[in-house]
Amino acid sequence: MARKVGIYTRISRDDEGEALGVARQRTDCERLADLRTWQPVKIYEDNDVSAFKRNVVRDEFELMLKDLRAGLIDGVVAYDLDRLARQPRDLERLIEIFDERPRLEFATVTNDVNLGTADGRTMARVMVAFANKSSHDTSRRIKRKHLELAQQGKANGGPAPYGWLKDDRNKVDPEAAKHIREAQKEVLAGVRIGTIRTRWQEQGLGNPRQGTKRMAHHHVEHILTNPRLVRYRTYHGEILHGDDGQPVMGEWDPINTVEEWEAVCAAIAERKQTKAGQSLARRYLLSGIARCGLCKSKIRGQVNQQWKPGSQAAQYKYQCSKVNGGCGKVGRVGDPVDKLIARLVLKEQREKAAATGVPVEARWPRERELEGLLQDIVQLIEAEKAKAITVSTLLQLLPAKEQERDALKLERARFYKEQKQAEAKGNAGDLTEEEFFALPIERQREIVLHSLTAVVIHPAGRGKRKFDPDLIDPVWR
């Protein structure tokens, strides 16, 4: 009876995605199995999968090992030993199975290595060790090439990041750039990244990965804070700096100014620190803003249990709850309260904007101080290179300068964050009521909180009554 063998094929990169390389390996392996009078019963194919990277799991390779150990196949045919293993530990796992089952068959197209003998195993270990070194050398050369490209401000290969044209990754995609800027403005106005992610998912924005059902939160956050937006070149996730201490600038077109980008990054970082572990999601406009007119406890929105489909009543109400420490005696249908507050707030902001005029964008007043400090750092480094000062002197002077530089950069980021946030939050005067309610709920709440500190809802008494705006008392800032 013919021995049943599995054929293992693998190729590290398949840029075209046509699997031609593994197909050629399969043909040659089937021909070899036929010459040995073995019967191929299973093809294990790892296409576009590395055998060198430690964090990569080869699913078909793992399945092949399980089938070998379970006795479902009697041997393995591969094109070459380095198709099977480039890490010694993977080879040792295979050898262990051949130790357990001495009659297993093994063959490769390119050489004659027998894992069933001591000499064959020794030869296999030497060959895998050399293959591993070859992969290390290739990896080192690739890393050095990528660093050189980064230092020159050139982009690596791969698909264009969201915001740039697919056929020219150095040119900005106007439509994508518009969506990025709009989302950044929303972040500055208090909108959650989760809200932006949901909308982008529905609209097919952000270049979601193929086959994913839900766009990742960190993917959207990276798009909005990517240093590439201001032409900063990164290497291994960090902004790359040149010998002059300045960020290396890429050869592509920018989408943001440095001030805009720093403001968004600072806003997101601040939100992570101050809101860590807290949910920013809100379903109702005045949840936590409204207060009970009797006990002054915060009132939250909730589903109106008395609402029936087809009725004119709103689906939610603001109810003082004993569960949250309130008296439980005050409740009001939510929709008319929200509309009243929206009208009052928009009117107030419209009048305030007309009285104060358009704010003038200011520059950070310590910009020259930071520029001078950066120049001092460069001069110190150049002086050490020219042997004008010793390394010891440089290392004594440099840390204080770098600490002062980092503090000034943080101050600049905060300055522009507050400025951009004020712009995003304070320009609601021209909105209509319909436009207001079309905004994300976080943006609506920011507009309300820009004018109000609270909304007091007074009791209406027993029985059904028409909505009385006099019982809704806004507390203005």
Side-chain angles (χ1 to χ4, degrees):
M1 181 181 293
R3 303 282 280 169
K4 296 181 295 183
V5 296
I7 291 177
Y8 182 79
T9 62
R10 183 190 67 81
I11 193 168
S12 298
R13 292 190 61 177
D14 182 15
D15 296 331
E16 291 78 17
E18 297 180 357
L20 298 179
V22 288
R24 289 191 293 269
Q25 292 179 28
R26 174 178 176 174
T27 300
D28 291 343
C29 289
E30 287 175 339
R31 186 179 296 115
L32 177 60
D34 185 54
L35 290 173
R36 300 286 181 96
T37 67
W38 296 339
Q39 179 186 356
V41 293
K42 171 70 176 174
I43 306 296
Y44 302 91
E45 180 183 295
D46 281 319
N47 187 43
D48 201 20
V49 179
S50 171
F52 172 71
K53 296 179 181 177
R54 291 181 177 269
N55 61 337
V56 174
V57 176
R58 292 184 285 160
D59 294 331
E60 290 294 295
F61 178 76
E62 297 297 330
L63 178 61
M64 182 193 69
L65 294 183
K66 289 181 181 179
D67 290 349
L68 272 173
R69 183 169 277 115
L72 298 179
I73 54 177
D74 301 319
V76 176
V77 178
Y79 183 79
D80 192 274
L81 187 61
D82 66 2
R83 298 302 89 198
L84 272 169
R86 277 184 175 265
Q87 289 289 352
R89 60 179 181 176
D90 288 336
L91 176 63
E92 293 303 325
R93 294 167 65 198
L94 188 60
I95 289 176
E96 182 181 333
I97 298 175
F98 274 76
D99 272 337
E100 296 172 357
R101 300 184 61 201
R103 296 189 62 204
L104 287 177
E105 305 288 358
F106 182 81
T108 62
V109 174
T110 57
N111 50 59
D112 190 13
V113 177
N114 186 0
L115 293 182
T117 66
D119 290 343
R121 293 172 190 178
T122 301
M123 180 60 68
R125 289 183 175 113
V126 172
M127 293 172 66
V128 169
F130 273 98
N132 183 265
K133 181 182 183 303
S134 174
S135 294
H136 269 293
D137 294 341
T138 301
S139 176
R140 185 179 65 252
R141 289 193 298 269
I142 291 175
K143 288 179 180 178
R144 182 65 187 89
K145 176 185 177 182
H146 287 171
L147 176 59
E148 183 179 6
L149 291 173
Q151 291 169 335
Q152 296 173 355
K154 297 182 180 296
N156 289 332
Y162 185 67
W164 287 265
L165 296 173
K166 293 182 179 180
D167 55 351
D168 188 349
R169 56 185 297 131
N170 291 338
K171 298 295 183 182
V172 171
D173 181 345
E175 189 66 21
K178 182 184 74 171
H179 291 301
I180 290 175
R181 294 192 189 99
E182 289 175 350
Q184 290 174 326
K185 188 175 181 181
E186 288 181 314
V187 168
L188 291 169
V191 177
R192 296 183 310 123
I193 288 181
T195 300
I196 297 169
R197 178 193 64 189
T198 300
R199 188 180 72 246
W200 278 17
Q201 184 86 24
E202 294 172 350
Q203 298 176 355
L205 305 176
N207 287 350
R209 290 183 177 180
Q210 295 292 330
T212 56
K213 295 182 179 179
R214 188 181 184 189
M215 186 183 298
H217 181 282
H218 66 83
H219 179 63
V220 179
E221 181 179 310
H222 174 71
I223 290 175
L224 302 182
T225 59
N226 190 352
R228 199 179 202 272
L229 296 168
V230 289
R231 292 183 58 217
Y232 286 172
R233 183 63 166 89
T234 59
Y235 184 71
H236 288 276
E238 299 290 336
I239 296 174
L240 189 65
H241 290 78
D243 294 336
D244 58 357
Q246 297 291 334
V248 174
M249 307 303 289
E251 56 186 7
W252 52 85
D253 296 333
I255 290 178
N256 287 142
T257 64
V258 173
E259 294 81 7
E260 292 170 340
W261 176 75
E262 285 186 343
V264 174
C265 292
I268 291 177
E270 183 183 71
R271 187 179 300 180
K272 287 182 176 179
Q273 293 174 355
T274 59
K275 305 291 184 179
Q278 300 180 23
S279 173
L280 299 177
R282 291 289 186 273
R283 293 182 61 187
Y284 306 108
L285 176 63
L286 300 180
S287 283
I289 300 174
R291 288 185 177 269
C292 174
L294 292 179
C295 66
K296 304 303 184 290
S297 296
K298 288 184 177 181
I299 294 179
R300 303 188 182 280
Q302 63 184 45
V303 175
N304 190 346
Q305 301 296 335
Q306 299 178 347
W307 177 81
K308 297 180 180 179
S311 66
Q312 295 299 316
Q315 298 184 39
Y316 65 98
K317 65 177 180 179
Y318 294 110
Q319 177 67 51
C320 181
S321 172
K322 292 183 179 180
V323 175
N324 296 322
C327 63
K329 297 179 180 180
V330 174
R332 197 62 43 82
V333 173
D335 189 59
V337 178
D338 287 354
K339 290 182 178 178
L340 171 65
I341 294 302
R343 285 196 296 271
L344 294 175
V345 166
L346 293 176
K347 179 182 177 183
E348 189 264 351
Q349 294 191 20
R350 197 175 298 118
E351 292 173 351
K352 185 181 292 186
T356 58
V358 179
V360 179
E361 182 173 331
R363 300 290 299 175
W364 182 51
R366 303 183 70 181
E367 192 71 58
R368 289 187 178 180
E369 183 179 346
L370 176 58
E371 291 177 359
L373 186 60
L374 291 173
Q375 189 61 36
D376 290 345
I377 293 174
V378 172
Q379 289 175 354
L380 280 173
I381 295 174
E382 292 298 328
E384 189 278 327
K385 288 182 178 179
K387 305 301 181 182
I389 61 174
T390 64
V391 175
S392 177
T393 301
L394 174 67
L395 295 180
Q396 289 177 9
L397 298 175
L398 198 57
K401 294 285 186 181
E402 291 176 333
Q403 185 176 4
E404 187 178 356
R405 174 201 64 193
D406 294 341
L408 285 175
K409 284 187 173 182
L410 181 60
E411 181 182 322
R412 181 179 66 179
R414 287 173 177 164
F415 175 85
Y416 286 117
K417 174 186 73 71
E418 294 172 0
Q419 184 184 89
K420 299 301 179 182
Q421 282 181 328
E423 292 176 5
K425 296 177 181 179
N427 60 351
D430 295 332
L431 290 175
T432 65
E433 187 176 330
E434 291 75 16
E435 290 171 337
F436 173 84
F437 284 109
L439 295 172
I441 189 67
E442 300 95 338
R443 179 73 177 104
Q444 296 176 29
R445 288 171 60 84
E446 287 286 352
I447 293 173
V448 169
L449 290 170
H450 188 73
S451 297
L452 303 177
T453 58
V455 175
V456 179
I457 300 179
H458 297 285
R462 295 182 178 277
K464 295 182 178 179
R465 296 175 181 269
K466 290 184 178 180
F467 176 70
D468 186 356
D470 292 336
L471 298 176
I472 309 300
D473 187 13
V475 182
W476 300 96
R477 290 191 180 276

